[in-house]
Amino acid sequence: MNNKEIIKDQLVKTGICNGDTLLVTAALRSINLEKKSDFLEVLLEVLGPEGTLIGLSFNDHFFFPFISRAIFTKESKTNTGGFGNMMLAHPKSYRSMHPTNSYVAIGKNAKYVLEDHNENSKCYTPISKLLKLNGKMLIVGCIDSCPGFTTIHYAQEVLGLTEKSFLKNLKGIQYKDGNTIKNFLRKDYGGCSKGFNKFYSIYMNEGILEQLKVGGASSLIIDANEAYKCDLKVLKTRPLYLLCDDPLCLSCRVTWKNNKKDIIPFFINLFLKKFFKYSRH
């Protein structure tokens, strides 16, 4: 078998099959394929005409978006990497129109999942459709560099945690509404995801996380509803569990209204780091 056939076999053995709905995050550079577009082709082949593939196509956002030159359109490239941009370039892709946190999908239920996700929506609402379709989530080659599953952000959203950011209404982007350019200010934030790898052990203990290799890349697959149940259960009682351990992480230490205790230590640590850096010169 060639590498493309090997990857197809690896995906099928996990239980991914015709008609599934699958949310994928992937680092293409980690996959052993000379032609990276083959990975997208394999996924679509395995899901078949009845299946739906979903990816992230988030965008940068800015303070004072009205003076930024950036304008979100359906054709805007995503900052989520090559796989997201590859999906966007596919002739049958469908993109939601949320200005900062759009998603892209290909397949039977692409429009159903994304058509209502726009400037009036919260950032992570398409995950509710993934859950209704009994979807699965796959991470390929970036389980450490881009850890965790998007159901964690959706659990934050359901619990109202995404609206507890000090950044609310401070950052955004311009977008097109017909022929009119408007300003969008983001009202909800999921924040840093570097701490999401803490959830892996929880999933493992529940027996719902499968580890595998996809084209030589370390990968994880999980049932979206099972993951969401765990995420919701944890964050209901420990809403700060998802924060990363970096004492100098601006997002985790400074931007949350429900984590004010870390603000002063953050600035002390930042001062000490700069002080010792300059004192060595």
Side-chain angles (χ1 to χ4, degrees):
M1 290 192 294
N2 60 36
N3 287 348
K4 186 176 178 182
E5 291 171 335
I6 291 171
I7 290 174
K8 185 175 182 179
D9 185 61
Q10 290 169 333
L11 294 173
V12 170
K13 283 181 178 177
T14 69
I16 300 171
C17 58
N18 192 314
D20 275 349
T21 301
L22 183 68
L23 173 63
V24 175
T25 54
L28 294 177
R29 65 184 178 276
S30 301
I31 304 170
N32 187 20
L33 279 171
E34 186 173 339
K35 187 180 178 184
K36 299 303 182 184
S37 59
D38 282 350
F39 179 61
L40 177 57
E41 289 182 17
V42 169
L43 286 168
L44 294 175
E45 285 176 18
V46 173
L47 295 173
E50 296 296 306
T52 305
L53 177 66
I54 306 170
L56 308 180
S57 53
F58 299 170
N59 291 85
D60 291 328
H61 47 291
F62 311 90
F63 289 108
F64 311 113
F66 49 87
I67 61 173
S68 168
R69 293 183 180 180
I71 300 174
F72 171 74
T73 68
K74 186 179 179 181
E75 291 74 34
S76 297
K77 287 191 174 183
T78 175
N79 63 10
T80 57
F83 181 69
N85 283 308
M86 186 182 293
M87 285 192 66
L88 288 172
H90 192 279
K92 293 184 179 180
S93 68
Y94 187 96
R95 188 179 197 174
S96 70
M97 293 308 293
H98 190 285
T100 60
N101 288 71
S102 67
Y103 294 70
V104 56
I106 303 168
K108 181 180 178 180
N109 290 309
K111 187 175 181 181
Y112 163 73
V113 174
L114 301 180
E115 65 179 337
D116 298 325
H117 188 233
N118 53 41
E119 71 276 7
N120 299 312
S121 309
K122 292 184 178 180
C123 291
Y124 308 106
T125 51
I127 301 302
S128 65
K129 302 284 185 70
L130 175 70
L131 299 177
K132 288 178 181 177
L133 291 168
N134 295 312
K136 301 169 183 175
M137 299 182 290
L138 174 68
I139 302 176
V140 179
C142 52
I143 60 177
D144 295 316
S145 59
C146 187
F149 296 98
T150 314
T151 47
I152 300 173
H153 280 319
Y154 181 60
Q156 286 179 278
E157 183 174 284
V158 170
L159 295 171
L161 299 175
T162 57
E163 297 181 65
K164 294 184 180 294
S165 174
F166 286 118
L167 296 175
K168 183 176 180 178
N169 291 320
L170 293 180
K171 298 180 73 177
I173 195 171
Q174 296 184 91
Y175 70 100
K176 279 190 175 181
D177 184 3
N179 293 321
T180 305
I181 295 177
K182 295 184 177 181
N183 293 315
F184 172 80
L185 292 174
R186 189 170 170 181
K187 298 175 178 59
D188 55 318
Y189 285 82
C192 169
S193 62
K194 291 179 182 177
F196 287 11
N197 55 7
K198 298 176 185 177
F199 286 79
Y200 292 156
S201 60
I202 296 174
Y203 303 145
M204 292 291 288
N205 290 337
E206 292 293 325
I208 60 173
L209 185 67
E210 182 177 347
Q211 302 177 70
L212 66 150
K213 292 284 186 178
V214 176
S218 296
S219 306
L220 299 170
I221 188 166
I222 198 168
D223 177 275
N225 277 288
E226 293 299 325
Y228 174 64
K229 288 176 187 176
C230 287
D231 303 336
L232 199 63
K233 182 179 179 180
V234 170
L235 295 179
K236 273 183 178 179
T237 55
R238 293 181 284 173
L240 302 181
Y241 181 76
L242 50 74
L243 299 183
C244 78
D245 297 323
D246 182 359
L248 293 175
C249 176
L250 182 68
S251 176
C252 291
R253 308 278 85 85
V254 177
T255 66
W256 293 110
K257 294 178 182 178
N258 59 336
N259 188 39
K260 295 178 182 177
K261 65 179 178 60
D262 278 353
I263 296 177
I264 293 177
F266 168 83
F267 285 107
I268 292 173
N269 285 322
L270 185 63
F271 170 78
L272 291 174
K273 180 181 179 181
K274 290 186 177 296
F275 174 79
F276 286 113
K277 178 182 177 180
Y278 288 117
S279 65
R280 288 196 295 266
H281 289 290

